[in-house]
């Protein structure tokens, strides 16, 4: 239970701080955003509106998803380490991939709603969308477009993006964290508050370095996932997009077909579109996420975290 609560708390903290960067990244990668907004000459102004559009669906989903992830990760890591002769980095990679597969079942519907909400353009004057209404509007638009029964569209692409990212990040994160702890004196010589701060700082620095590198490497799979989810229902009149185009045909194709289309349209640059922004916000997000998680877990257990890699 402590692991579940710590994971949910960490997810909420990061969502509120990092969400605007995710919105900008989604708009940057979107085919429809490129076609509609860049022609107007108001790209920057429009990009900075409604940066928290869709936050409601994310908060509702990421809290349980984070709990599922960390609970599964900790259990899998312990089980794989005890029952196999696998090297420790492989154990961390397999355990994190298993946890990601479980959490994506919770995340996929919210991710679909979120990315449609992020792409909604303001109506009327300059006030923009009301922050609390975009998630519901996006869900209604998807439902009216007949996508309600396809809320798990993009699970494969989401898993294809997140699993390589997670499986790459966590072995690096665990290794860096262990190396940093090895340079520190025993924690029992310090008070609980200092230990909590130190735990959060070490985990945060390790996660930021690992997350930034892994995020850039896996950017192409993120671009494909974004395109597939945004095109779901776009030809049925969702208010997030202009009518027309071949959105349904592309959304129903396999991820590798979407990747080929992106490459034909914009080459390698297209596959890495938004990579720098994604790498930056993932580094910040991972640092806050895992730093908060480790610190919260230590606090909830009263200083007895039992982490194998911590002295």
């Amino acid at each position: 239970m402590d692991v579940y609560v710590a994971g949910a708390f960490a997810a909420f903290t990061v969502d509120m701080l990092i969400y605007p960067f995710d919105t900008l990244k989604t708009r940057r990668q979107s085919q429809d955003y490129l076609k509609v907004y860049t022609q107007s000459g108001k790209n920057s102004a429009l990009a900075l509106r409604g940066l928290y559009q869709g936050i409601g669906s994310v908060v509702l989903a990421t809290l349980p998803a984070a709990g599922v992830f960390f609970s599964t990760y900790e259990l899998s890591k312990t089980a794989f380490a005890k029952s196999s002769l696998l090297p420790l980095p492989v154990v961390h990679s397999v355990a994190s991939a298993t946890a990601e597969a479980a959490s994506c079942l919770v995340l996929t519907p919210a991710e679909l709603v979120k990315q449609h909400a992020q792409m909604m353009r303001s109506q009327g004057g300059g006030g923009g969308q009301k922050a609390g209404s975009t998630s519901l509007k996006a869900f209604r638009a998807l439902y009216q477009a007949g996508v309600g029964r396809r809320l798990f569209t993009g699970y494969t692409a989401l898993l294809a993006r997140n699993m390589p990212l997670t499986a790459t990040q966590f072995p690096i994160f665990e290794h860096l964290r262990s190396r940093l702890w090895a340079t520190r004196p025993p924690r029992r010589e310090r008070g609980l508050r200092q230990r909590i701060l130190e735990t959060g700082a070490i985990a945060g620095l390790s996660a930021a370095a690992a997350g930034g590198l892994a995020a850039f490497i896996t950017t192409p799979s993120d671009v494909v996932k974004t395109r597939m989810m945004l095109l779901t229902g776009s030809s049925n009149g969702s208010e997030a997009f202009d009518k027309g185009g071949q959105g349904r045909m592309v959304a129903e194709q396999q991820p590798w077909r979407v990747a080929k289309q992106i490459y034909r349209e914009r080459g390698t640059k297209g596959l890495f579109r938004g990579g720098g922004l994604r790498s930056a916000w993932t580094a910040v997000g991972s640092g806050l996420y895992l730093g908060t998680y480790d610190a919260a877990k230590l606090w909830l257990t009263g200083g007895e975290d039992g982490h194998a890699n911590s002295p």
Side-chain angles (χ1 to χ4, degrees):
M1 181 58 70
D2 290 333
V3 170
Y4 190 97
V5 173
F9 177 75
F12 178 78
T13 302
V14 172
D15 283 340
M16 298 307 295
L17 294 175
I18 303 301
Y19 192 82
F21 296 99
D22 183 63
T23 299
L24 292 174
K25 183 270 302 180
T26 296
R27 293 171 176 174
R28 175 72 173 162
Q29 291 178 349
S30 169
Q31 178 188 35
D32 297 271
Y33 180 78
L34 291 170
K35 289 182 177 179
V36 176
Y37 294 138
T38 56
Q39 293 175 1
S40 69
K42 300 178 181 179
N43 187 14
S44 297
L46 286 168
L48 294 177
R49 283 185 192 166
L51 294 181
Y52 279 94
Q53 290 180 182
I55 186 67
S57 64
V58 170
V59 170
L60 288 177
T62 54
L63 298 188
V68 168
F69 177 88
F70 282 110
S71 298
T72 305
Y73 177 67
E74 298 290 356
L75 290 173
S76 300
K77 181 172 64 172
T78 301
F80 291 143
K82 288 181 178 179
S83 63
S84 72
L85 299 176
L86 295 174
L88 199 55
V90 176
V91 169
H92 294 151
S93 183
V94 174
S96 62
T98 302
E100 193 63 56
S103 67
C104 280
L105 288 173
V106 182
L107 281 175
T108 300
E111 188 80 0
L112 180 63
V113 173
K114 177 201 77 174
Q115 291 192 330
H116 278 267
Q118 286 174 329
M119 291 303 299
M120 284 183 171
R121 286 168 287 169
S122 59
Q123 299 173 359
Q129 295 278 5
K130 293 182 180 179
S133 66
T134 49
S135 293
L136 184 58
K137 287 182 179 180
F139 179 80
R140 286 175 176 170
L142 289 168
Y143 182 81
Q144 292 170 359
V147 185
R149 59 185 176 275
R150 292 193 284 140
L151 285 178
F152 283 91
T153 296
Y155 173 78
T156 302
L158 181 63
L159 193 60
R161 178 200 72 176
N162 287 4
M163 188 175 286
L165 172 64
T166 304
T168 301
Q169 177 183 357
F170 269 75
I172 300 173
F173 162 67
E174 296 275 9
H175 175 73
L176 291 176
R177 182 173 60 175
S178 296
R179 293 294 297 272
L180 286 176
W181 275 121
T183 66
R184 305 293 299 160
R187 290 192 300 172
R188 58 180 172 271
E189 297 178 0
R190 297 180 290 283
L192 178 59
R193 181 177 180 182
Q194 186 177 356
R195 288 164 57 195
I196 290 174
L197 293 175
E198 185 179 32
T199 295
I202 288 179
L205 289 173
S206 303
L213 176 61
F216 185 78
I217 294 172
T218 58
T219 295
S221 62
D222 182 53
V223 174
V224 171
K225 184 272 305 180
T226 298
R227 177 75 65 89
M228 289 179 67
M229 285 187 161
L230 289 176
L231 289 174
T232 299
S234 63
S235 61
N236 290 321
S238 168
E239 65 178 313
F241 304 95
D242 286 350
K243 293 183 178 180
Q246 299 178 348
R248 173 174 292 185
M249 180 189 73
V250 175
E252 293 176 352
Q253 291 177 347
Q254 297 297 320
W256 69 271
R257 291 184 181 273
V258 179
K260 285 178 65 176
Q261 179 182 342
I262 295 171
Y263 183 78
R264 285 196 300 268
E265 290 172 356
R266 299 183 180 276
T268 305
K269 273 183 156 184
L271 290 172
F272 280 90
R273 180 172 291 278
L277 181 60
R278 180 174 185 249
S279 184
W281 74 257
T282 300
V284 175
S286 293
L288 290 172
Y289 189 38
L290 292 174
T292 301
Y293 169 72
D294 268 15
K297 185 172 67 170
L298 186 64
W299 178 71
L300 288 169
T301 58
E304 300 296 330
D305 63 342
H307 198 287
N309 292 329
S310 299

